[in-house]
Structure formats: C-alpha cells, structure tokens
Amino acid sequence: MERNELYPIFLKLHNINVLIVGGGNVGLEKLSFMLKSSPNANVEVVATKFIPELEALVEKHPSVKLTQSKFKKKMLKKRNMVIACTDDLEVNKRVYKLARECYLICNIADTPDLCDYYLGGIVTKGNVKIAISTNGKSPTTAKRLREFFEEVIPEDINKMVENLNEYRKTLKGNFEEKVQRMNEITKGLKNNE
C-alpha cells in the first residue's frame, strides 16, 4: 500500500522570504492561500504582467511586493522558499533547477515531480490549525476534508486551547510529569468507543 511520507511543518512566513514567479490566476491562488494563513508573509511576486485581482490583493498586504520583470537567477538570493506558477513550463523548470542549485525548497504548480512540498488544505480555528495532504493525488479530497473539519471543530476550541496553555504554565515537576498531566486532562477529546 502506498503511504504519504510527506513531513508536515508550520512555517512562520513573516520570518522567511518567499518568491512567487507568476502573476496570473495560479499565482493569485498560491498567494491568496498563503496570505489566508499568514497575512504578514514576506513575499515577492515576479512576473512580466499581473492580473488585476492579484494587484488588488497585494494592495491589502504591505509585506508583499510586486516586481514586474522576467525571472532572473539573482532573484533567488536571500530566499527560503520558491513557487513557480507561470504558464510556461520551461520557465517553471528553469526556476526549479536554479532553486535546487541554491538549496531552496521549491513548488512548481501542477507538476508534482518538480515539487519539494505541496500546499495542502488548511483548517484554522483560532490557535488550532490542521493541515491536510493527499500526497498531491487529490486536491478535491483535501478540500472536502477541510470543509468537514471546519464544520465539526467547534468555534470555541480556541478558548479551550488558551485555558490549557494557562494551566500548563502552572504545572510543576519534570517534563514527563507535565506531559502525563496534560494527557490526563485532554483525554476527553479522544473518543475511545
């Protein structure tokens, strides 16, 4: 049986530098997705032209910069992460090749073989965030799972998280004792039936 071997991480996009190459509908989708989770993400979008919707989105986010230009290798300097989503596969492949040479993680839209990571479905309720991956096989399934979790996770879960955080700060003892106590308190979240 095939297994999803992706390693999920939650990036602080306001602390790193992201480059998006492409100013069309897919660039808008990637940037929108990113800003939905991380509204202060440091992003530069490079393209020879931008659709008006992308320009309008960038106007609302001062941490995002538009650069009207063809992609150049020097644009990869001081980056941590790259997304290429132009309508020219050769440009996208060049971005991927150059990003790999610079040891940057890269995502080439709709080309799983040229992706070091995928942008999965995300559910956010306050401090609780759930990422969903189908290993790049079915974005529609990820979308349906996201919708399901958005419905079943209570809106007030953030209050519970905040209360548990305050309680955790009051615990005494070593790390193992604290973990055991927190496990006892939260075991009601798991349905054992």
Side-chain angles (χ1 to χ4, degrees), residues 71-129:
F71 169 77
K72 299 173 188 78
K73 181 180 179 178
K74 68 180 182 180
M75 294 174 172
L76 296 175
K77 287 186 179 181
K78 298 183 180 176
R79 304 291 176 185
N80 303 105
M81 182 172 144
V82 181
I83 297 172
C85 48
T86 73
D87 57 4
D88 185 333
L89 184 57
E90 291 309 310
V91 170
N92 291 346
K93 285 180 178 180
R94 181 171 171 259
V95 171
Y96 181 77
K97 178 184 174 292
L98 293 171
R100 298 293 296 180
E101 288 174 8
C102 297
Y103 300 97
L104 298 172
I105 60 172
C106 189
N107 173 287
I108 305 301
D110 297 323
T111 314
D113 290 345
L114 300 180
C115 291
D116 299 315
Y117 62 92
Y118 301 127
L119 304 171
I122 296 176
V123 178
T124 304
K125 299 270 181 136
N127 287 300
V128 174
K129 188 168 284 200

Side-chain angles (χ1 to χ4, degrees), residues 4 6 8 10 33 118-123 129-136 138-139 141-150:
N4 186 331
L6 298 173
F10 292 93
F33 182 79
Y118 301 127
L119 304 171
I122 296 176
V123 178
K129 188 168 284 200
I130 299 170
I132 302 162
S133 167
T134 59
N135 213 15
S138 178
T141 300
K143 176 184 175 184
R144 293 298 176 227
L145 286 170
R146 177 185 51 80
E147 292 169 348
F148 169 76
F149 284 118
E150 284 175 342

Side-chain angles (χ1 to χ4, degrees), residues 37-48:
S37 265
S38 301
N40 297 307
N42 288 317
V43 182
E44 182 175 0
V45 183
V46 173
T48 54

Side-chain angles (χ1 to χ4, degrees), residues 16 105 112 140 149 166-167 180:
I16 66 175
I105 60 172
T140 303
F149 284 118
E166 290 303 313
Y167 177 72
Q180 182 180 1

Side-chain angles (χ1 to χ4, degrees), residues 22-79:
N25 287 320
V26 180
L28 173 64
E29 176 190 323
K30 300 291 184 184
L31 182 61
S32 298
F33 182 79
M34 197 175 284
L35 293 173
K36 182 179 177 188
S37 265
S38 301
N40 297 307
N42 288 317
V43 182
E44 182 175 0
V45 183
V46 173
T48 54
K49 60 184 179 179
F50 303 99
I51 61 172
E53 296 87 348
L54 192 141
E55 291 175 321
L57 177 63
V58 170
E59 283 181 26
K60 299 174 191 168
H61 296 273
S63 63
V64 180
K65 175 184 173 188
L66 294 181
T67 300
Q68 191 164 4
S69 170
K70 287 186 176 183
F71 169 77
K72 299 173 188 78
K73 181 180 179 178
K74 68 180 182 180
M75 294 174 172
L76 296 175
K77 287 186 179 181
K78 298 183 180 176
R79 304 291 176 185

